[in-house]
């Protein structure tokens, strides 16, 4: 499933990026960026509340398929510009982190 298809299936908004990348690495939920850098699987949907420039950098380093920005958090302008530049797709939802991750899990077939 592509990130764009994931957004449609979950009712998430696309804040930046094309969304053409495949989500094949599952889901990773964490807000501590140093842990995400070392533990997030490549091609995962990373669910977080961090909508800043550092989250874009960590997504690139961890090679995530996308960032799912939960809890209605905003993506700041610098992060949006860098995300577009680096090819990082950021999805937005008002759902809490747990519910957002469950929506992703159902959409990509981890849960029924």
């Amino acid at each position: 499933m592509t990130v764009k298809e994931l957004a449609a299936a979950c009712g998430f908004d696309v804040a930046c990026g094309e969304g053409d990348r495949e989500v094949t690495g599952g889901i990773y939920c964490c807000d501590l960026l140093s842990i995400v850098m070392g533990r997030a699987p490549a091609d995962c949907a990373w669910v977080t509340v961090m909508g800043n420039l550092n989250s874009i950098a960590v997504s690139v380093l961890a090679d995530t398929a996308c960032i799912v920005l939960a809890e209605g958090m905003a993506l700041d302008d610098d992060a949006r510009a860098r995300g577009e530049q680096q090819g990082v797709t950021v999805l937005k939802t008002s759902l809490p982190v747990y519910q957002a991750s469950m929506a992703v899990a159902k959409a990509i077939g981890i849960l029924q």
Side-chain angles (χ1 to χ4, degrees):
M1 166 175 283
T2 66
V3 172
K4 190 182 305 182
E5 292 168 337
L6 175 67
C10 295
F12 298 163
D13 296 322
V14 178
C16 78
E18 298 295 318
D20 296 329
R21 191 157 172 187
E22 294 282 330
V23 179
T24 59
I27 307 158
Y28 195 78
C29 301
C30 187
D31 296 323
L32 189 55
L33 301 179
S34 59
I35 295 202
V36 176
M37 283 190 290
R39 297 186 183 175
D43 300 313
C44 73
W46 170 29
V47 183
T48 185
V49 296
M50 304 295 289
N52 59 31
L53 193 57
N54 291 334
S55 62
I56 300 298
V58 168
S59 179
V60 170
L61 287 171
D63 200 24
T64 66
C66 65
I67 298 171
V68 178
L69 195 54
E71 308 270 353
M73 294 299 182
L75 180 65
D76 69 38
D77 291 337
D78 290 339
R80 179 176 286 106
R82 183 62 57 89
E84 294 288 355
Q85 182 183 54
Q86 296 287 317
V88 176
T89 301
V90 179
L91 307 179
K92 288 182 59 176
T93 180
S94 61
L95 292 174
V97 170
Y98 177 79
Q99 290 177 338
S101 64
M102 290 297 100
V104 172
K106 288 178 183 174
I108 64 175
I110 294 174
L111 293 176
Q112 294 188 34

